[in-house]
Amino acid sequence: MINKKILVTGASIAGPTLAYWLNKYGFKVTVVERAPELRLGGQNIDVKGPAAEIARKMGIEKAIREKNTTEVGLRFVNVNNETVAEFPVGNSLSMTQELEILRGDLVQILYDQTKDDVDYRFNQYITAMVQSKENVAVTFSNGNAETFDLVIAAEGIGSATRQLAFKDKPDFKYLGLYTAYLTISKSAKDSRWARWCNAEKGIVFMMRPDNYGETRASVTFTAEEDRYKGLSLDQQKKALVKRIKGSGWESERLIREIRKTNDLYFERVSQVKAAKWSEGRVAIVGDAAYCATPIAGKGTDMAMSGAYILAGELFKADNYEEAFKAYEQKMRPYVEKCQKLPPGIPGIVYPQTKLGVRVLNTMVSIVGSKPAKWVTGLFGKEKKEPKPEIILPDYGNRK
Ligand SMILES: Cc1cc2nc3c(=O)[nH]c(=O)nc-3n(C[C@H](O)[C@H](O)[C@H](O)COP(=O)(O)OP(=O)(O)OC[C@H]3O[C@@H](n4cnc5c(N)ncnc54)[C@H](O)[C@@H]3O)c2cc1C
């Protein structure tokens, strides 16, 4: 297939990666993003495995290296801020990887790499969609109407376009946790080490350095599934403060920062398991189709691989049905592997009691021992991968 007009929704990781490859193969690409501008929040992510290979193919590896967060490794600390164990960047158990970058920096690099060739439209989303034999008639939030050959939703876990196109909701496998990300001012206690601290009542705090002289904080905690559904930013902030008040470590510092921030990402930790990834002329990619959660540490790998394979299959195939089928066949086994999480979440890794926290810290402190390997393995980021987890086909170039 070539020369088709494709609408991509969502300008984060999956959307711009897909737009890059579609444009390279000769498709006419429009990307709409619901937010008024790129959403650049979030913490460190690593570009490894298939994501690193795709970044190389896209010519953005150097740009990614230049934005390295400079994090030197991960320290587990107790609530008194005493180090329990540390895993430097070269260590196979470290969470810090070679190509470590802030999520927002990667989003910006992907956007910069595509913005001259792709029609980006911000502050827009689809409000209605009618599929016919020939095309998809789309109505946008600004009232404009336009037809496209195909629509691909890269809208993340709560995708509304997925809802418009698919009759059934995907399965959401709730992991019993909520997570919040925010950027905070650097303090004297922050260094180039990431710090992880377990507190009672199922709370994990994390503070990581960035390359802008600030600190990226997150707090993840156990909660019932719909406990914080549909809250405004102000309500989210109040709920978060209430949940972490009195937890010790740097919770008071974090509370002061939560009260000030306008940049809070607050989300349930759920995996998305969609039974199918296309419905007629509409397909889904990235977290919208197969979110594995930040706990799996595979979000970037899957979003970029899915986008690369979907674009390549559309280029290679004679029609979109064939392409969507091949995309699913090639990606599903990998997604299933990535979504397999080791047992212990949230029960053991997010202990409720002081004793539970002590036990976990003891396990982590036995560096290199099997329990420590098990706990750090929960991030899915062990470096030694004997063979590639997914083979990325070479789709060639447009003639
Ligand atoms: C602000 C933010 C911060 C994040 N921080 C982290 C982090 O620190 N660590 C981590 O592991 N993961 C984080 N994530 C999730 C991570 O980006 C994804 O897990 C992964 O990279 C897959 O990306 P994606 O492009 O599929 O989806 P997402 O990154 O979720 O992006 C979806 C994009 O679609 C847009 N969108 C949503 N609905 C519509 C619509 N109807 N029409 C048009 N556009 C729409 C969103 O505004 C967003 O830009 C964050 C996501 C966001 C949006």
Side-chain angles (χ1 to χ4, degrees):
M1 276 170 66
I2 46 167
N3 293 331
K4 299 282 181 194
K5 201 178 151 196
I6 301 188
L7 173 65
V8 176
T9 59
S12 173
I13 311 266
T17 306
L18 180 67
Y20 173 88
W21 289 101
L22 288 174
N23 172 68
K24 189 172 153 68
Y25 297 141
F27 295 95
K28 189 170 181 311
V29 190
T30 302
V31 178
V32 293
E33 163 59 49
R34 189 180 53 184
E37 56 202 19
L38 291 177
R39 299 178 66 191
L40 301 178
Q43 285 209 332
N44 313 30
I45 52 169
D46 43 67
V47 181
K48 61 186 187 313
E53 195 181 330
I54 294 164
R56 258 193 309 278
K57 286 178 192 277
M58 291 174 71
I60 56 171
E61 191 189 354
K62 186 165 171 272
I64 293 173
R65 281 191 190 281
E66 282 168 2
K67 289 285 181 183
N68 188 287
T69 59
T70 69
E71 187 174 287
V72 295
L74 170 69
R75 266 187 191 142
F76 282 83
V77 297
N78 62 21
V79 283
N80 302 318
N81 204 40
E82 293 154 350
T83 300
V84 170
E86 59 183 36
F87 302 93
V89 67
N91 186 300
S92 66
L93 298 178
S94 180
M95 208 175 69
T96 314
Q97 300 280 317
E98 195 197 343
L99 280 187
E100 189 90 13
I101 185 170
L102 289 177
R103 175 194 163 274
D105 282 341
L106 180 60
V107 170
Q108 186 71 55
I109 289 169
L110 291 167
Y111 172 72
D112 289 344
Q113 188 75 351
T114 47
K115 67 177 193 298
D116 295 336
D117 303 308
V118 168
D119 175 16
Y120 276 94
R121 303 176 193 170
F122 288 89
N123 226 349
Q124 261 189 61
Y125 54 90
I126 299 175
T127 52
M129 234 176 5
V130 180
Q131 294 200 46
S132 70
K133 252 179 123 184
E134 289 76 35
N135 55 37
V136 192
V138 170
T139 309
F140 291 108
S141 47
N142 60 4
N144 289 351
E146 207 171 327
T147 57
F148 296 88
D149 294 297
L150 301 171
V151 174
I152 315 229
E155 298 174 0
I157 183 166
S159 173
T161 300
R162 178 186 61 206
Q163 222 44 54
L164 283 176
F166 289 56
K167 285 177 202 77
D168 304 320
K169 272 191 181 174
D171 280 346
F172 289 96
K173 186 183 165 200
Y174 180 58
L175 300 188
L177 299 164
Y178 268 75
T179 195
Y181 299 116
L182 68 158
T183 305
I184 65 175
S185 314
K186 195 171 167 182
S187 86
K189 283 189 177 161
D190 300 332
S191 68
R192 303 254 52 100
W193 283 88
R195 287 180 298 150
W196 166 303
C197 178
N198 272 87
E200 275 176 74
K201 297 187 186 143
I203 299 174
V204 170
F205 295 109
M206 197 139 143
M207 303 229 181
R208 306 184 72 172
D210 73 14
N211 38 319
Y212 295 100
E214 291 182 304
T215 295
R216 303 287 164 140
S218 74
V219 50
T220 306
F221 51 91
T222 52
E224 290 151 32
E225 183 162 8
D226 291 330
R227 181 81 174 85
Y228 304 105
K229 204 176 165 184
L231 301 187
S232 66
L233 173 65
D234 205 41
Q235 289 167 329
Q236 288 176 345
K237 287 163 66 164
K238 284 191 177 126
L240 202 51
V241 167
K242 194 169 167 207
R243 182 67 177 82
I244 66 172
K245 189 129 192 75
S247 307
W249 196 54
E250 300 200 19
S251 56
E252 281 308 313
R253 171 187 173 197
L254 207 51
I255 285 172
R256 282 193 300 277
E257 294 282 353
I258 291 167
R259 287 188 170 131
K260 280 196 301 204
T261 193
N262 287 317
D263 169 33
L264 183 71
Y265 177 83
F266 188 73
E267 193 48 278
R268 279 177 316 174
V269 179
S270 291
Q271 293 194 329
V272 175
K273 297 189 171 202
K276 53 182 182 171
W277 298 343
S278 62
E279 178 68 52
R281 292 175 174 272
V282 182
I284 49 180
V285 67
D287 273 11
Y290 32 77
C291 176
T293 77
I295 289 166
K298 300 279 187 184
T300 312
D301 294 5
M302 288 199 295
M304 290 182 73
S305 312
Y308 174 84
I309 290 174
L310 178 53
E313 294 301 330
L314 283 167
F315 174 54
K316 198 176 100 179
D318 291 329
N319 56 61
Y320 68 86
E321 290 100 330
E322 212 178 276
F324 288 167
K325 203 169 149 200
Y327 156 57
E328 219 172 305
Q329 271 170 357
K330 291 202 165 75
M331 267 303 283
R332 250 198 210 278
Y334 176 56
V335 165
E336 278 165 14
K337 246 188 273 171
C338 293
Q339 288 193 326
K340 253 185 217 140
L341 297 177
I345 295 167
I348 302 173
V349 185
Y350 296 83
Q352 300 293 325
T353 62
K354 239 186 205 141
L355 178 65
V357 172
R358 259 210 309 271
V359 170
L360 182 70
N361 283 342
T362 306
M363 282 165 70
V364 175
S365 73
I366 307 168
V367 185
S369 74
K370 275 190 183 154
K373 195 178 164 81
W374 171 78
V375 171
T376 47
L378 289 171
F379 312 123
K381 293 186 177 179
E382 282 195 52
K383 270 187 177 166
K384 282 175 200 147
E385 287 171 0
K387 56 180 182 186
E389 294 178 325
I390 181 167
I391 306 288
L392 298 171
D394 185 355
Y395 292 103
N397 285 311
R398 192 156 42 123
K399 303 243 163 39

